[in-house]
Amino acid sequence: MVKVKGIVVLQKKNTLLDFKDLSSSFLDGVHEILLGKKVSFQLVSAVNADPANSLKGKLGKPSYLKDWNTKSTGLAVDEAVFNVTFEWDEEIGAPGALIVRNEHHSEFFLKTVTLEDVPDHGKVLFVCNSWVYPAQYYEKDRVFFTNKTYLPHQTPALLSNYREEELEILRGKGKENAMLKESDRVYDYAVYNDLGEPEKGPEYARPVFGGSTEYPYPRRGRTGRPPLKTDPAIESRLPLLKGLDIYVPRDEQFGNLKMGDFLGDSVKSLSQGFAGLVRAVLDKTPKEFDSFQDVLDLFEGGIKVPQSPFLDQLRESLPSQFLKAITRNDGAPILKYPTPGIIKEDKSAWSTDEEFAREMLAGIHPLAIRCLEEFPPVSKLDPSTYGNHRSSITEDIIEENLDGLTVPEAIERKRLFILDHYDTMMPYLTMINTNTPSKVYATRTILFLKDDGTLKPLVIELSLPHPDGDQFGAVSEVYKPASDGIEDSIWQLAKAYVAVTDAGYHQLISHWLHTHAVIEPFVIASHRQLSVLHPVHKLLHPHFRDTMRINSIARQTALNPNGLFEQAVFLRQYSAAWSSKLYKDWVFTDQALPRDLVKRGMAVKDSESPHGYKLHIKDYPYAVDGLEVWSAIETWVQEYCSSYYESDDMVATDPELQSWWKEIREIGHGDKKDEDWWPSMTTLKDLTETCTTIIWLASAVHAAVNFGQYTYAGYVPNRPTISRRFMPKPDTPEYEEIKENFELAFLKTIMSQNQALVGVSVIELISSHSSDEVYLGQREIDEWTTDPTPLEAFKKFGQTLVEIEDKIVERNNNESLKNRVGPAKLPYTLLYPSSGVGITGKGIPNSIST
């Protein structure tokens, strides 16, 4: 009898969360697994039928984990390698699948199973990457396929039933209305009916988002939580501290390293915030920053927890592990935020007009600026509801700063640009300014492109609804740059109000809605409709890692009543409703970078320009780097998809692909299913453009708007997310305060110290790369497919990204490109593909995981 040796890589349970297991070592668990033949493996033939079931491949004899291989290298700390030996049956022929049974009392993570020398087939690899629960939890055995790739019609006939059965399990067949358990592998949809807590009182109630014309929204993953007894339309919520127990399929939960980093960073960030709150209470102006230096002290001197008998007793009661977690590496009990990049080289450059404008091209929100094509700017709000909202900015206000051009000439030459947060803000201002502590404006900022390629702000318009009603239009004030005196102070405040509105749009729309929320339906549909054998599943799966889990955490901690968004963003209780309103304007195809740039008037098609588009601002770092990354993704996707789809007809007749696309349109984004912009998914071009856009959103766009948050917004005066009072009027105490102490007046206008500490702690957490991050152009396992053409194309993709990194460094060192670094001496690296661990201000992870 021929023996075929195999290697099995397992991972232990996540003991970071399983406190009952903390006392047992991984070694003990290994021995227990080995005892009594508790984990078995059976090969499934891809070519010869099983005598007991002619529709399925022949089953080999069960084989069991045998020896723990302690000499293996290159493993993570929570992984172990075992040997397994199969008695080879020649009638198996080519193995196509593997049945795994776990008779152990606990689950384990099965990473890979490798057969080293299968007769006539050589090495055979099963890439599993899945949690395997005890057999009693499953109605059918767990099945894993080899790393081969098949379109549905190419699947070996004896594997087709296994392929379809796996999809039925993942769709939750028979569990459509059931409570979902940790061991379930169900991917299903639900509306956002889990944000409110009306049982606590009317102020905790929130609308249901999704499923209505009033509140459209992408779908989220179903958790199976029971409805409230008082309102069956609302899903009950878990207590905050149990938020990590909310159901997502176990394979979508954070891995051990990610969870360890996430919990460790959370403890550290929240501890720093707690110490800051203690300091704020003991400050001479409790809960307020007194000066810019007071803000800088968060980073420069750190926060020493004050000495007092009460705090001494509190320290003594804390476990030593916690004290270690909240202290720095030197062991001293000093809580110190890292210095944000925006103030690392120059503590005041953030306040310059040059940096204010540069960050619209190379900050954390370079996706909103657009070319001004009509003057004065005109609102698209319905005049029958909102009246005349034509801008109050006139030509004479800005023409003196156009380097001799008239306004029409500047528009024709593409020299005028606008950051416009007017139409998005105006319908909500009355509610926000009346029902919350926030005091905010609809803003328009017009900028001029100078000869050196930098932008110069010309004017800021701050607008409020007319006091007699929306139908009477707006009341607006216009502010111009000034260099000194009270006029300069007022101008600095005007820029702060712009930063507040832009920060709110950045956080809730560009970041949360346009990446996290809109991608989740693609994640769910891909698992439900595309087999792991499908080439599109293999293409997209790396870009969905951890997204469902991080989104579930956001629903538990950020979007909920008094959650992080409602505490730290000016929209407060209207945060989710505002994002729902703006989802009405979302068009998937417009998320492709070239279309986005053209739509905003920032570029035009030009066959002679790099990547086929000419930028109106040549030194637009986000667009320049972005087009290179986009082009690299597009080329990779085209080469990959064309290796499987030889014709448009193959795309149009692929049943799994068509079911996937239909479900995304009609269910995942079902509130927009009747809009006519959806691609038909009948051509290879449709497929490659769609997949390129999905990957672009999940990787590069999310990186651009997320991983620079601490770098740019960690210093609160640069990117405040709340304003608490309106622009002071002459002859008022607030106006006099500006004259006497501008810094104090500025800080009293934006976020309080408590609000700032919450915001800084959170963005420090989400701006950090975990130690298990997998970046664009990388895969967790090199042999993710057996097909040589895709492997070669992927290798070339990775090499292209390395070349892009070199080009980014070269551009950042080019002093003629003034927008690359700017007055703050902060190079633009947010689209630099690779990164180290922690807060780096660079790196494009494959997926949305923070």
Side-chain angles (χ1 to χ4, degrees):
M1 178 67 68
V2 177
K3 305 286 187 179
V4 174
K5 294 182 179 180
I7 296 174
V8 179
V9 180
L10 298 182
Q11 186 181 62
K12 66 176 178 177
K13 287 177 62 177
N14 190 346
T15 54
L16 286 165
L17 294 181
D18 294 312
F19 296 105
K20 61 182 180 292
D21 288 344
L22 283 175
S23 60
S24 63
S25 69
F26 186 27
L27 182 60
D28 293 336
V30 168
H31 286 159
E32 191 172 355
I33 289 175
L34 287 172
L35 292 175
K37 296 184 176 181
K38 292 188 175 181
V39 180
S40 67
F41 302 86
Q42 276 184 286
L43 295 175
V44 180
S45 174
V47 292
N48 294 317
D50 192 78
N53 186 344
S54 62
L55 297 179
K56 290 185 175 181
K58 179 179 175 59
L59 296 179
K61 293 182 179 180
S63 299
Y64 301 91
L65 290 180
K66 186 176 181 182
D67 302 316
W68 181 27
N69 188 339
T70 59
K71 297 181 180 180
S72 295
T73 60
L75 299 174
V77 294
D78 56 354
E79 292 178 351
V81 171
F82 297 89
N83 296 325
V84 63
T85 301
F86 294 88
E87 293 186 6
W88 182 249
D89 182 346
E90 290 185 359
E91 293 185 9
I92 292 291
L98 184 71
I99 292 176
V100 180
R101 286 185 62 85
N102 176 14
E103 301 293 348
H104 184 54
H105 73 83
S106 184
E107 73 274 17
F108 59 84
F109 186 83
L110 180 59
K111 190 171 182 179
T112 59
V113 178
T114 306
L115 308 187
E116 295 179 325
D117 191 12
V118 176
D120 299 324
H121 297 284
K123 179 179 177 181
V124 175
L125 175 64
F126 299 87
V127 178
C128 307
N129 284 331
S130 183
W131 288 94
V132 180
Y133 277 76
Q136 66 264 28
Y137 288 93
Y138 300 127
E139 294 180 7
K140 294 185 178 181
D141 290 329
R142 291 300 312 274
V143 176
F144 298 95
F145 299 97
T146 65
N147 58 341
K148 291 182 179 294
T149 306
Y150 298 109
L151 289 168
H153 73 278
Q154 298 168 337
T155 309
L158 298 175
L159 299 180
S160 292
N161 278 7
Y162 286 113
R163 179 173 184 149
E164 182 54 38
E165 285 175 359
E166 269 291 288
L167 288 174
E168 288 180 351
I169 291 169
L170 296 175
R171 293 176 195 136
K173 183 178 181 181
K175 298 183 178 181
E176 289 80 2
N177 299 307
M179 285 281 291
L180 296 176
K181 306 182 297 295
E182 183 185 89
S183 57
D184 286 323
R185 302 171 57 227
V186 175
Y187 293 78
D188 202 358
Y189 301 93
V191 295
Y192 280 69
N193 63 345
D194 60 340
L195 304 184
E197 299 176 274
E199 69 276 17
K200 291 184 177 180
E203 68 273 23
Y204 291 91
R206 295 293 181 268
V208 173
F209 298 105
S212 69
T213 55
E214 183 179 9
Y215 293 113
Y217 222 61
R219 299 301 186 262
R220 62 172 176 92
R222 180 168 74 90
T223 65
R225 291 284 304 161
L228 292 178
K229 293 180 180 179
T230 55
D231 188 347
I234 303 299
E235 184 176 294
S236 61
R237 291 174 57 84
L238 286 171
L240 181 61
L241 294 179
K242 292 188 176 181
L244 288 176
D245 292 336
I246 197 76
Y247 173 82
V248 297
R250 183 66 190 272
D251 290 348
E252 303 303 316
Q253 295 188 21
F254 293 160
N256 290 343
L257 292 176
K258 171 73 175 181
M259 181 58 75
D261 290 344
F262 183 81
L263 292 179
D265 290 345
S266 296
V267 169
K268 179 169 68 69
S269 296
L270 294 175
S271 301
Q272 290 165 172
F274 171 74
L277 293 175
V278 173
R279 180 173 180 264
V281 171
L282 300 177
D283 198 11
K284 66 181 181 180
T285 52
K287 303 180 183 178
E288 298 288 347
F289 289 116
D290 305 317
S291 64
F292 292 155
Q293 184 59 49
D294 205 12
V295 184
L296 291 171
D297 283 345
L298 295 175
F299 320 107
E300 294 180 343
I303 304 170
K304 287 189 177 182
V305 180
Q307 297 294 319
S308 75
F310 167 75
L311 291 176
D312 286 341
Q313 292 178 11
L314 179 62
R315 283 194 199 93
E316 291 300 319
S317 68
L318 293 173
S320 60
Q321 292 88 345
F322 183 76
L323 284 175
K324 289 178 182 178
I326 66 174
T327 55
R328 290 291 167 178
N329 293 332
D330 60 3
I334 297 174
L335 299 165
K336 178 181 177 183
Y337 289 101
T339 302
I342 191 66
I343 56 169
K344 188 169 287 186
E345 298 295 330
D346 189 320
K347 294 180 176 62
S348 61
W350 66 272
S351 65
T352 64
D353 290 354
E354 292 87 347
E355 182 62 26
F356 172 72
R358 185 190 82 93
E359 290 184 22
M360 299 180 197
L361 303 173
I364 53 171
H365 193 220
L367 293 75
I369 188 171
R370 61 181 177 85
C371 190
L372 185 63
E373 298 175 341
E374 184 177 5
F375 190 89
V378 176
S379 169
K380 295 181 181 179
L381 294 173
D382 183 357
S384 64
T385 302
Y386 294 101
N388 179 16
H389 281 263
R390 192 177 185 86
S391 173
S392 60
I393 302 172
T394 58
E395 292 187 8
D396 61 290
I397 292 176
I398 64 172
E399 275 196 343
E400 62 182 354
N401 290 309
L402 297 183
D403 292 354
L405 298 177
T406 64
V407 169
E409 289 172 338
I411 289 177
E412 182 181 359
R413 298 183 189 184
K414 308 297 182 183
R415 301 286 292 274
L416 288 179
F417 296 83
I418 186 170
L419 182 68
D420 192 343
H421 292 301
Y422 189 93
D423 286 2
T424 57
M425 289 292 301
M426 186 58 69
Y428 271 80
L429 285 183
T430 298
M431 288 186 290
I432 294 169
N433 291 334
T434 301
N435 301 331
T436 81
S438 299
K439 298 294 179 280
V440 292
Y441 296 93
T443 66
R444 291 181 175 120
T445 305
I446 296 180
L447 307 101
F448 177 68
L449 179 62
K450 301 195 305 183
D451 290 338
D452 66 358
T454 63
L455 290 173
K456 174 175 64 176
L458 301 175
V459 64
I460 290 172
E461 181 183 49
L462 304 181
S463 302
L464 292 170
H466 196 283
D468 294 332
D470 290 342
Q471 69 272 24
F472 295 98
V475 176
S476 302
E477 296 287 344
V478 174
Y479 301 90
K480 296 173 61 178
S483 57
D484 52 35
I486 185 67
E487 291 81 9
D488 177 54
S489 298
I490 294 295
W491 171 246
Q492 294 296 332
L493 280 176
K495 290 193 293 182
Y497 289 116
V498 172
V500 167
T501 55
D502 189 61
Y505 192 96
H506 160 251
Q507 285 288 11
L508 287 162
I509 308 305
S510 297
H511 182 199
W512 163 253
L513 178 65
H514 287 174
T515 62
H516 285 259
V518 302
I519 284 293
E520 187 160 359
F522 291 93
V523 179
I524 299 168
S526 296
H527 284 283
R528 288 169 54 87
Q529 301 298 340
L530 299 176
S531 165
V532 294
L533 293 166
H534 198 286
V536 174
H537 186 284
K538 289 184 184 290
L539 172 67
L540 296 180
H541 185 258
H543 305 285
F544 298 151
R545 180 185 186 224
D546 294 335
T547 300
M548 291 185 72
R549 167 50 84 198
I550 198 65
N551 283 4
S552 74
I553 293 173
R555 297 197 308 273
Q556 289 291 308
T557 64
L559 290 162
N560 56 307
N562 292 326
L564 297 173
F565 281 145
E566 295 196 3
Q567 287 187 52
V569 181
F570 68 86
L571 286 127
R572 305 297 181 100
Q573 65 263 34
Y574 302 110
S575 294
W578 189 58
S579 67
S580 170
K581 172 182 171 56
L582 296 185
Y583 176 61
K584 294 178 181 179
D585 300 326
W586 180 78
V587 175
F588 171 73
T589 50
D590 286 348
Q591 309 310 303
L593 178 62
R595 290 198 185 194
D596 169 57
L597 293 172
V598 170
K599 184 177 180 180
R600 290 191 283 121
M602 302 299 290
V604 292
K605 284 188 175 182
D606 180 19
S607 59
E608 297 183 0
S609 295
H611 313 297
Y613 291 88
K614 178 182 178 181
L615 296 172
H616 293 313
I617 300 177
K618 293 181 180 179
D619 183 17
Y620 182 0
Y622 166 74
V624 173
D625 297 357
L627 283 171
E628 290 191 345
V629 174
W630 168 271
S631 179
I633 296 171
E634 183 179 48
T635 299
W636 149 238
V637 171
Q638 288 173 344
E639 292 180 355
Y640 179 86
C641 290
S642 62
S643 70
Y644 293 102
Y645 294 94
E646 299 174 359
S647 66
D648 291 343
D649 184 63
M650 290 183 69
V651 173
T653 57
D654 180 342
E656 287 186 10
L657 185 70
Q658 294 305 316
S659 296
W660 172 73
W661 193 236
K662 176 181 174 66
E663 187 167 286
I664 289 168
R665 293 194 324 269
E666 297 184 1
I667 302 177
H669 285 285
D671 296 335
K672 303 180 79 67
K673 64 182 178 181
D674 296 325
E675 298 180 13
D676 60 7
W677 47 260
W678 288 99
S680 63
M681 199 55 69
T682 55
T683 67
L684 183 59
K685 183 172 183 288
D686 288 341
L687 176 61
T688 56
E689 288 182 351
T690 295
C691 291
T692 301
T693 303
I694 292 170
I695 295 172
W696 167 252
L697 287 174
S699 59
V701 174
H702 182 258
V705 299
N706 182 70
F707 290 103
Q709 290 197 72
Y710 192 82
T711 301
Y712 287 91
Y715 184 66
V716 172
N718 187 52
R719 292 285 294 182
T721 56
I722 291 174
S723 49
R724 296 178 288 157
R725 61 185 189 183
F726 292 124
M727 179 72 81
K729 301 292 185 182
D731 302 323
T732 63
E734 292 80 8
Y735 196 84
E736 293 302 313
E737 184 178 49
I738 294 177
K739 292 181 180 179
E740 297 171 5
N741 190 338
F742 165 69
E743 290 187 10
L744 180 61
F746 182 97
L747 293 167
K748 287 170 71 173
T749 299
I750 61 169
M751 306 159 75
S752 70
Q753 193 167 8
N754 291 359
Q755 291 167 332
L757 288 166
V758 170
V760 171
S761 296
V762 171
I763 63 172
E764 182 193 16
L765 174 64
I766 64 178
S767 298
S768 183
H769 291 293
S770 65
S771 56
D772 69 342
E773 204 88 88
V774 183
Y775 296 93
L776 195 64
Q778 300 175 355
R779 292 264 178 158
E780 289 186 83
I781 295 175
D782 292 335
E783 299 171 275
W784 52 275
T785 182
T786 58
D787 298 333
T789 300
L791 287 173
E792 183 60 32
F794 188 70
K795 180 181 179 180
K796 186 171 69 172
F797 175 46
Q799 292 169 342
T800 301
L801 292 172
V802 172
E803 294 169 3
I804 290 172
E805 292 182 344
D806 293 338
K807 292 178 182 178
I808 289 173
V809 171
E810 182 180 346
R811 286 192 288 268
N812 285 344
N813 290 330
N814 186 343
E815 294 183 358
S816 68
L817 300 176
K818 299 182 182 298
N819 295 324
R820 298 296 311 190
V821 176
K825 300 179 179 63
L826 180 59
Y828 185 74
T829 56
L830 292 178
L831 290 177
Y832 186 95
S834 66
S835 173
V837 177
I839 298 173
T840 64
K842 62 181 179 180
I844 305 177
N846 272 328
S847 62
I848 300 166
S849 59
T850 56

